[in-house]
Amino acid sequence: MDEGTDYFEALQGNLYPLKLGYIGIVCRKQKELESGKSIGEAVKSEKQFFNDHEVYKKMADKMGVPYLIKVLNIVFLNHIKNTIPTLKASISNLLQEKQCELAKYGELGYDIEDNKAKGRLILDMISRFCKNYDEILSG
C-alpha cells in the first residue's frame, strides 16, 4: 500500500469476502531496497504507516507483516493439529500391513542393527525368494 490509497472496504471483506479475511502489508519499494533499508526498518515504517494513516489506524493492530506471520502460524498449526490424527491412523495401518507381510517371510533370526547381520539377512531373503519362486515354477 502506498500513501493516498484507500483499500478499507477491501480489507474489511466488503468487496470480496474471504474466509480468513485480508491483512494489509506495506512492501519495500525498489528505491528502499537499493538504499539498503533493512527488514526491521521496513516493519517499523509499516507499523508507523498503519498507525498514522487516517483510514487504516482503526485496524492497525490487524495489519502488517508481523500480524500476517502470527495468523499464518495459527493457520499452519491448526492444519497440523487437524491432519495428525489421519496421518497417525494411516501410518498405523501401513505399519500393521507391513508387519503382516514381514510375518509371511518367517522369523528373521538376525539383529538388523548389526551390519554383518544385514548382509546375511539380505542373502537369506534372496535365497527364500529364489526357493519360493522355484516352487511356484515347479508347481
Side-chain angles (χ1 to χ4, degrees), residues 24-50:
I25 63 167
V26 177
C27 296
R28 291 184 291 173
K29 297 171 183 63
Q30 186 63 37
K31 190 183 347 178
E32 293 172 331
L33 290 170
E34 290 169 357
S35 70
K37 186 175 189 177
S38 72
I39 293 174
E41 292 169 334
V43 169
K44 285 178 186 174
S45 64
E46 176 188 58
K47 183 176 181 164
Q48 183 179 359
F49 171 80
F50 287 121

Side-chain angles (χ1 to χ4, degrees), residues 63-74:
M63 294 288 136
V65 173
Y67 184 74
L68 177 62
I69 291 169
K70 180 181 173 183
V71 169
L72 289 176
N73 277 325
I74 291 169

Side-chain angles (χ1 to χ4, degrees), residues 123-136:
L123 287 174
D124 189 36
M125 290 181 78
I126 290 171
S127 297
R128 288 183 192 186
F129 174 79
C130 290
K131 181 181 174 189
N132 289 342
Y133 190 72
D134 186 42
E135 288 174 1
I136 290 171

Side-chain angles (χ1 to χ4, degrees), residues 8 13 16 18 32 39 54 56 65 68 70 94 98 105 120 135:
F8 184 78
Y16 187 82
L18 293 177
E32 293 172 331
I39 293 174
E54 190 63 34
Y56 302 128
V65 173
L68 177 62
K70 180 181 173 183
L94 186 60
K98 295 304 173 185
Y105 295 115
R120 288 191 302 271
E135 288 174 1

Side-chain angles (χ1 to χ4, degrees), residues 16-117:
Y16 187 82
L18 293 177
K19 185 168 110 178
L20 299 175
Y22 292 90
I23 299 172
I25 63 167
V26 177
C27 296
R28 291 184 291 173
K29 297 171 183 63
Q30 186 63 37
K31 190 183 347 178
E32 293 172 331
L33 290 170
E34 290 169 357
S35 70
K37 186 175 189 177
S38 72
I39 293 174
E41 292 169 334
V43 169
K44 285 178 186 174
S45 64
E46 176 188 58
K47 183 176 181 164
Q48 183 179 359
F49 171 80
F50 287 121
N51 286 331
D52 294 346
H53 197 281
E54 190 63 34
V55 175
Y56 302 128
K57 66 181 168 186
K58 300 169 194 164
M59 59 173 72
D61 60 323
K62 294 188 178 180
M63 294 288 136
V65 173
Y67 184 74
L68 177 62
I69 291 169
K70 180 181 173 183
V71 169
L72 289 176
N73 277 325
I74 291 169
V75 169
F76 184 58
L77 288 174
N78 286 335
H79 176 71
I80 290 171
K81 287 177 186 175
N82 293 334
T83 306
I84 283 179
T86 306
L87 191 58
K88 189 176 179 181
S90 178
I91 290 171
S92 192
N93 289 337
L94 186 60
L95 180 62
Q96 189 175 10
E97 286 177 25
K98 295 304 173 185
Q99 285 174 338
C100 289
E101 184 181 335
L102 186 60
K104 290 179 185 177
Y105 295 115
E107 183 62 38
L108 298 176
Y110 297 103
D111 176 20
I112 58 172
E113 298 300 320
D114 178 24
N115 283 336
K116 289 181 183 178

